[in-house]
């Protein structure tokens, strides 16, 4: 299936291709966003450097970002270049392609459910939304919270609309991300304990309704700050401000802060490691308390 309304790409357009065959003249590829139509990367357009081994530059089955040099719709010729693509352009094209794949996956599922051909859904929904929003992926993302705004001018029956929204919500609703930062606080002044408590309270006070911060003791001097939110960037910004506030507050008491781990998204493995660390610390504290009691009994 082609992702875009035009049957052929335009000259100077970046496209994602998959290498089918390597020949003497260059590499035969299929354009993944244009219904797998064939194109060719000429040997001279593979690299800016002298080519010693084609296999080191390009491999059968691998996806490549290329730029369109020439298009002959009548003969079906599409000449492509890999060497004229910058690293920055590769990233942009890969992002665009991933967006297209997500939209195509949604269209495919809805087509199976409704019995429509995927191209019918592209014509009714995807291509009109692409014209309006720049990319249907951006429109679908907005439709999670504002479906009436996105679909208001589309001629869709209730069943197709409902199936689209159900699939969009399942694929594109942001998933909560857990973010964590580890910090070490020390304060040996007369007000040491109060200083640490004050600094931690100042950090937690930076919480917002969307980003509630929680700080827990692991084992002195290590503390962990955590939260869960669908907006990873907002979380990291809030945590960075909280760390700055904690640092400012602990300095008032002549204490110090060391950020052992800057705010970052963590996995279940990270959580398990933290839970084990806290459990070990708790057992160690319990053993110390037990030993103290025994010594007191002996006396």
């Amino acid at each position: 299936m082609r992702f875009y309304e035009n049957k052929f790409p335009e000259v100077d357009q970046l496209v994602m291709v998959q290498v089918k065959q390597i020949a003497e003249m260059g590499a035969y590829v299929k354009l993944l966003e244009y219904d797998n139509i064939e194109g060719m990367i000429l040997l001279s357009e593979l690299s800016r450097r002298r080519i010693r081994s084609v296999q080191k530059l390009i491999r059968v089955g691998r996806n490549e970002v290329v730029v369109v040099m020439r298009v002959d719709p009548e003969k079906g010729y599409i000449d492509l270049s890999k060497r004229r693509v910058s690293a920055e352009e590769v990233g942009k094209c890969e992002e665009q392609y991933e967006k297209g794949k997500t939209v195509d996956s949604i269209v495919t599922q809805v087509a199976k459910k409704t019995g429509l051909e995927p191209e019918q859904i592209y014509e009714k929904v995807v291509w009109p939304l692409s014209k309006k929003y720049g990319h249907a992926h951006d429109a679908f993302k907005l439709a999670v919270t504002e479906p009436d705004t996105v679909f208001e001018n589309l001629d869709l029956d209730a069943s197709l609309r409902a199936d689209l929204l159900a699939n969009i919500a399942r694929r594109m609703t942001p998933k909560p991300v857990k973010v964590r930062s580890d910090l070490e606080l020390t304060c040996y002044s007369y007000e040491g304990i109060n200083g640490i408590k004050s600094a931690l309270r100042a950090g937690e006070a930076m919480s917002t309704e969307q980003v509630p911060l929680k700080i827990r003791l692991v084992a002195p001097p290590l503390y962990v700050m955590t939260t869960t939110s669908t907006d990873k960037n907002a979380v990291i910004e809030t945590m960075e401000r909280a760390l700055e506030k904690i640092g400012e507050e602990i300095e008032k008491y002549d204490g110090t802060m060391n950020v052992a781990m800057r705010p970052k998204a963590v996995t279940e493995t990270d959580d398990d490691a933290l839970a084990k660390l806290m459990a070990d610390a708790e057992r160690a504290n319990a053993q110390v308390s037990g030993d103290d009691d025994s010594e007191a009994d002996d006396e």
Side-chain angles (χ1 to χ4, degrees):
M1 186 61 221
R2 70 180 191 272
F3 294 177
Y4 311 112
E5 189 170 7
N6 295 337
K7 292 184 178 180
F8 294 91
E10 297 178 357
V11 173
D12 294 332
Q13 181 180 336
L14 295 168
V15 293
M16 183 70 73
V17 302
Q18 188 175 88
V19 182
K20 293 171 55 181
Q21 179 186 352
I22 298 174
E24 289 185 8
M25 293 179 61
Y28 290 97
V29 300
K30 58 182 180 181
L31 280 69
L32 298 176
E33 300 153 288
Y34 287 89
D35 207 19
N36 293 331
I37 57 177
E38 189 176 89
M40 171 172 264
I41 309 174
L42 297 174
L43 194 63
S44 60
E45 293 298 329
L46 280 174
S47 174
R48 295 178 183 273
R49 301 177 183 177
R50 183 179 175 184
I51 299 174
R52 297 181 182 275
S53 171
V54 174
Q55 281 71 23
K56 288 184 178 180
L57 290 172
I58 199 164
R59 293 181 183 177
V60 173
R62 193 164 70 182
N63 290 359
E64 298 283 354
V65 176
V66 296
V67 64
V68 179
M69 294 176 59
R70 285 177 291 275
V71 179
D72 187 335
E74 293 182 5
K75 295 182 179 179
Y77 294 155
I78 302 176
D79 292 336
L80 308 160
S81 173
K82 174 177 164 63
R83 75 181 184 91
R84 300 172 192 243
V85 180
S86 68
E88 182 181 359
E89 289 173 326
V90 169
K92 289 180 180 178
C93 186
E94 287 176 342
E95 182 182 356
Q96 186 88 342
Y97 177 61
E98 289 302 320
K99 283 184 174 184
K101 279 207 308 181
T102 300
V103 171
D104 190 62
S105 175
I106 292 170
V107 169
T108 301
Q109 291 300 317
V110 173
K112 288 179 181 178
K113 180 81 179 292
T114 60
L116 294 171
E117 291 295 324
E119 189 167 353
Q120 291 177 282
I121 300 174
Y122 270 94
E123 290 174 349
K124 282 176 169 284
V125 182
V126 177
W127 295 332
L129 290 179
S130 294
K131 288 179 181 178
K132 183 176 180 181
Y133 291 93
H135 199 294
H137 184 278
D138 299 330
F140 282 5
K141 193 172 182 180
L142 180 61
V144 173
T145 54
E146 300 181 31
D148 292 338
T149 300
V150 174
F151 293 132
E152 62 180 347
N153 295 321
L154 299 181
D155 183 19
L156 304 177
D157 61 55
S159 177
L160 176 57
R161 189 178 190 274
D163 287 332
L164 272 168
L165 285 174
N167 276 274
I168 289 169
R170 184 160 55 248
R171 288 296 304 273
M172 305 194 74
T173 299
K175 296 180 180 179
V177 176
K178 188 166 188 178
V179 180
R180 183 180 118 205
S181 179
D182 298 350
L183 59 149
E184 296 171 344
L185 289 179
T186 55
C187 188
Y188 300 112
S189 66
Y190 180 76
E191 292 280 349
I193 294 177
N194 290 333
I196 290 175
K197 287 181 178 179
S198 178
L200 294 176
R201 281 196 293 266
E204 289 190 331
M206 300 301 292
S207 298
T208 66
E209 188 175 345
Q210 291 75 27
V211 185
L213 300 177
K214 183 176 182 181
I215 304 176
R216 292 179 294 167
L217 171 66
V218 178
L222 182 62
Y223 294 81
V224 60
M225 177 164 52
T226 59
T227 191
T228 301
S229 175
T230 57
D231 191 340
K232 177 183 171 182
N233 291 333
V235 169
I236 290 177
E237 288 177 8
T238 303
M239 276 196 173
E240 289 287 1
R241 288 197 298 270
L243 288 171
E244 186 177 346
K245 194 69 176 178
I246 292 170
E248 291 173 357
E249 189 67 19
I250 197 69
E251 284 182 2
K252 295 177 182 177
Y253 294 85
D254 296 326
T256 60
M257 178 186 75
N258 173 52
V259 180
M261 183 177 81
R262 305 234 57 107
K264 73 169 189 175
V266 291
T267 63
E268 288 185 9
T269 302
D270 295 321
D271 277 346
D272 291 342
L274 176 63
K276 183 178 184 302
L277 182 62
M278 295 184 73
D280 290 344
E282 188 174 345
R283 279 195 296 272
N285 288 336
Q287 289 172 1
V288 170
S289 298
D291 291 342
D292 290 345
D293 290 343
S294 298
E295 289 175 4
D297 291 341
D298 290 341
E299 290 176 1

